[in-house]
Amino acid sequence: SGPRASAMVIDTYRQGKQFAKAQQEADASEKKYPADRGLRLVRASLQAEMGKAEAASRREWMEQSGNSVEVDV
């Protein structure tokens, strides 16, 4: 499926330490599949590995609680 394939691409870039490419794919995937939980978790893993764990966990918490997702990273 589309979201799952995107998640695999993001994770492959992340594992290869190609964080800029992974971030680009994550941004594009988020716009294309905004409600996909799996993509949100892969994006959070990417942000955590990039040293943005606090922003990633805050963002996930905001989405789960139904609040706006405006988080500075």
Side-chain angles (χ1 to χ4, degrees), residues 20 27-28 31 53-54 59 71:
D27 292 343
K31 290 176 184 168
E54 185 176 326
R59 179 186 184 98
V71 177

Side-chain angles (χ1 to χ4, degrees), residues 13-54:
Y13 282 137
R14 182 186 62 78
Q15 289 176 2
K17 307 293 185 198
Q18 297 181 24
F19 298 123
K21 288 183 179 180
Q23 186 67 55
Q24 288 175 338
E25 182 68 27
D27 292 343
S29 298
E30 183 179 37
K31 290 176 184 168
K32 194 170 184 179
Y33 309 106
D36 190 84
R37 180 163 169 71
L39 277 174
R40 288 196 318 256
L41 293 174
V42 169
R43 183 181 180 94
S45 294
L46 171 63
Q47 289 179 327
E49 192 156 334
M50 292 172 63
K52 301 177 182 178
E54 185 176 326

